[in-house]
Amino acid sequence: MHPEKLSGYREEDYLMLSGIQHFSFCRRQWALIHIEQQWDENLRTVEGNLFHKKAHDGYSSEKRKDIIVSRGMPVFSRELGVSGICDIVEFRRNDAEGIALYGREGKYLVYPVEYKKGQPKEDETDILQMAAQAMCLEEMLACRIEKGYLFYGEIRRRIEVPLEEGIRQQVRDAFEEMHRHYERKYTPKARRTKACNACSLKNICLPQIAKKQSARQYISRCIGEEEAD
Ligand code: SF4
């Protein structure tokens, strides 16, 4: 077990929550963005950012009948060692099973809603991000969240996602591994997969070149050739 897990991570060691979608898509992509701070603002990421801007442009909240809608809510978890922003958090009034909110009458159940530009994906990257938000909210509000939602811009529909133990464990494991890599400043080597075609960093990553030889291999080969002369 990671020693930080006993008392929780320090705030200065928090990672960006949204990094879990990069990490689960490709560990190298996450390291290039979050450790080496490299990114390529291609069309896909620019469109995604604009769409996100609509969902949260600073923090705000509004009440519609029995639902309070919070946009751009900052969240964190000491246990996971992460912080981030929730696109939308819905607080639905439920006096029997909900939690009390400061300054609000009644009790509420809590549901994160994550906005995505495209359509539902085959992988679990979006689910993991939303589950991580839910786990932060649970820790901050001392509550249990049974489900959350993913809203996809292309189909203009939200999908309900149950937050089962399996997905929660994947979130814990991913952040634990991310913290280990981050401490060591470790960037995994490029490995060409199907994911590379849709990767916003493929021009920077250049897996086809990295695959052939690393800089270290090149230098030691040159030194070896000189010694042999
Ligand atoms: S190009 Fe492929 S290996 Fe490189 S960061 Fe993207 S997905 Fe990962």
Side-chain angles (χ1 to χ4, degrees), residues 205-224:
C205 172
L206 295 174
Q208 57 277 46
I209 290 176
K211 213 166 117 187
K212 282 183 192 152
Q213 71 182 182
S214 69
R216 190 181 296 170
Q217 280 170 328
Y218 174 77
I219 291 166
S220 36
R221 191 168 58 79
C222 291
I223 293 170

Side-chain angles (χ1 to χ4, degrees), residues 3-227:
E4 299 279 10
K5 286 202 79 183
L6 299 172
S7 56
Y9 288 91
R10 292 173 307 175
E11 207 177 322
E12 56 267 37
D13 295 327
Y14 285 2
L15 299 174
M16 272 175 73
L17 186 151
S18 58
I20 195 167
Q21 38 166 354
H22 304 133
F23 189 79
S24 52
F25 177 75
C26 168
R27 282 155 170 68
R28 177 171 166 82
Q29 193 204 57
W30 170 79
L32 288 173
I33 296 171
H34 295 263
I35 299 179
E36 301 191 13
Q37 324 258 299
Q38 301 195 43
W39 47 80
D40 183 10
E41 285 254 340
N42 72 4
L43 189 63
R44 192 181 293 261
T45 49
V46 171
E47 277 178 356
N49 290 344
L50 288 176
F51 185 77
H52 255 253
K53 227 168 127 48
K54 278 192 202 147
H56 57 78
D57 225 346
Y59 177 73
S60 68
S61 104
E62 61 178 293
K63 192 162 189 297
R64 299 182 201 147
K65 292 190 181 156
D66 281 344
I67 302 179
I68 301 166
V69 180
S70 288
R71 292 168 202 274
M73 183 174 170
V75 292
F76 67 90
S77 161
R78 279 179 63 85
E79 194 197 326
L80 299 173
V82 297
S83 63
I85 299 212
C86 288
D87 286 337
I88 301 237
V89 182
E90 280 184 6
F91 298 91
R92 292 190 207 151
R93 186 151 179 181
N94 183 323
D95 290 347
E97 294 170 40
I99 52 156
L101 296 176
Y102 181 77
R104 301 280 186 180
E105 199 185 307
K107 292 189 172 172
Y108 295 83
L109 292 175
V110 185
Y111 301 100
V113 186
E114 174 64 14
Y115 274 60
K116 297 290 172 197
K117 176 184 74 71
Q119 44 182 305
K121 297 183 192 134
E122 278 172 28
D123 61 37
E124 289 183 320
T125 52
D126 297 342
I127 296 175
L128 289 170
Q129 185 186 6
M130 189 273 290
Q133 293 171 355
M135 289 163 80
C136 288
L137 288 164
E138 286 181 335
E139 192 179 309
M140 290 167 66
L141 301 170
C143 65
R144 176 82 181 169
I145 300 175
E146 301 296 344
K147 63 186 178 190
Y149 297 90
L150 293 167
F151 179 92
Y152 288 96
E154 239 169 67
I155 58 169
R156 303 216 61 77
R157 202 157 52 79
R158 60 161 65 176
I159 292 173
E160 183 178 305
V161 182
L163 296 168
E164 286 155 0
E165 182 47 34
I167 205 81
R168 290 166 183 270
Q169 195 54 47
Q170 281 188 60
V171 172
R172 290 184 207 105
D173 292 346
F175 282 123
E176 222 176 295
E177 199 181 329
M178 285 154 81
H179 275 286
R180 281 202 305 272
H181 290 348
Y182 197 85
E183 272 168 33
R184 292 172 50 214
K185 301 283 176 263
Y186 168 68
T187 302
K189 286 205 168 54
R191 267 185 49 233
R192 218 189 199 311
T193 64
K194 251 186 9 198
C196 300
N197 297 330
C199 176
S200 56
L201 290 189
K202 65 182 168 205
N203 293 335
I204 292 172
C205 172
L206 295 174
Q208 57 277 46
I209 290 176
K211 213 166 117 187
K212 282 183 192 152
Q213 71 182 182
S214 69
R216 190 181 296 170
Q217 280 170 328
Y218 174 77
I219 291 166
S220 36
R221 191 168 58 79
C222 291
I223 293 170
E225 277 170 7
E226 271 176 26
E227 281 172 352

